[in-house]
């Protein structure tokens, strides 16, 4: 049995980076949650991020499978213009994951500057 995919797909390097970012996000979020479980606010946002990081690929895969032509990005942008709830869930998921990375990097930089200031 041969399965045919309708429409074209994004390049392989896109999918490698996509899944690599999701895996690294989930792993760093998990370890960050364990290490910083006493910091209120960060803990809740990390839990939200972990939930979105886990659910996001399933929803986006299910959403992209419904396309009949074009690639996944074109179909998603078209869904945003047609006010499709799954397309907006994907957008919100990406915003949450991106926001978490900004907060994570900012917290790493603040820890570095704190440790440098404590040395002097």
């Amino acid at each position: 049995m041969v399965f045919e995919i309708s429409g074209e797909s994004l390049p392989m390097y896109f999918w490698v980076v996509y899944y690599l970012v999701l895996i690294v996000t989930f792993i760093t979020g998990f370890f960050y949650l364990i290490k910083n479980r006493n910091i209120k606010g960060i803990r809740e946002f990390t839990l939200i991020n972990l939930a979105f990081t886990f659910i996001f690929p399933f929803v986006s895969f299910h959403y992209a499978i419904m396309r009949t032509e074009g690639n996944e990005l074109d179909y998603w942008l078209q869904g945003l213009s047609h006010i499709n709830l799954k397309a907006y869930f994907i957008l919100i998921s990406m915003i949450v994951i991106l926001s978490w990375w900004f907060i994570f990097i900012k917290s790493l930089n603040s820890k570095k500057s704190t440790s440098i200031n404590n040395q002097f």
Side-chain angles (χ1 to χ4, degrees):
M1 179 180 281
V2 176
F3 294 101
E4 290 186 34
I5 297 174
S6 298
E8 58 194 60
S9 185
L10 293 169
M12 184 59 77
Y13 67 85
F14 172 84
W15 294 113
V16 169
V17 171
Y18 172 82
Y19 285 111
L20 189 63
V21 166
L22 287 176
I23 290 168
V24 170
T25 301
F26 192 80
I27 291 170
T28 55
F30 183 75
F31 285 116
Y32 190 77
L33 180 67
I34 291 171
K35 188 175 180 182
N36 299 308
R37 64 179 174 256
N38 297 328
I39 303 173
K40 214 169 177 110
I42 299 284
R43 179 184 61 213
E44 288 80 6
F45 189 65
T46 304
L47 284 172
I48 291 169
N49 176 57
L50 287 172
F52 273 98
T53 304
F54 184 75
I55 296 169
F56 170 66
F58 295 107
V59 173
S60 63
F61 177 74
H62 183 263
Y63 179 71
I65 232 170
M66 297 185 300
R67 68 188 170 87
T68 56
E69 59 185 40
N71 64 29
E72 296 85 356
L73 181 61
D74 294 335
Y75 187 68
W76 176 66
L77 293 173
Q78 183 182 22
L80 288 175
S81 67
H82 293 285
I83 310 176
N84 186 305
L85 291 179
K86 284 184 184 177
Y88 277 94
F89 177 82
I90 292 168
L91 177 66
I92 291 168
S93 298
M94 287 190 282
I95 290 170
V96 167
I97 291 169
L98 215 81
S99 301
W100 186 84
W101 273 107
F102 283 124
I103 290 170
F104 177 70
I105 291 169
K106 187 178 177 182
S107 72
L108 288 179
N109 287 337
S110 68
K111 285 181 183 180
K112 281 183 184 179
S113 65
T114 304
S115 66
I116 290 172
N117 289 338
N118 288 339
Q119 290 177 355
F120 297 108

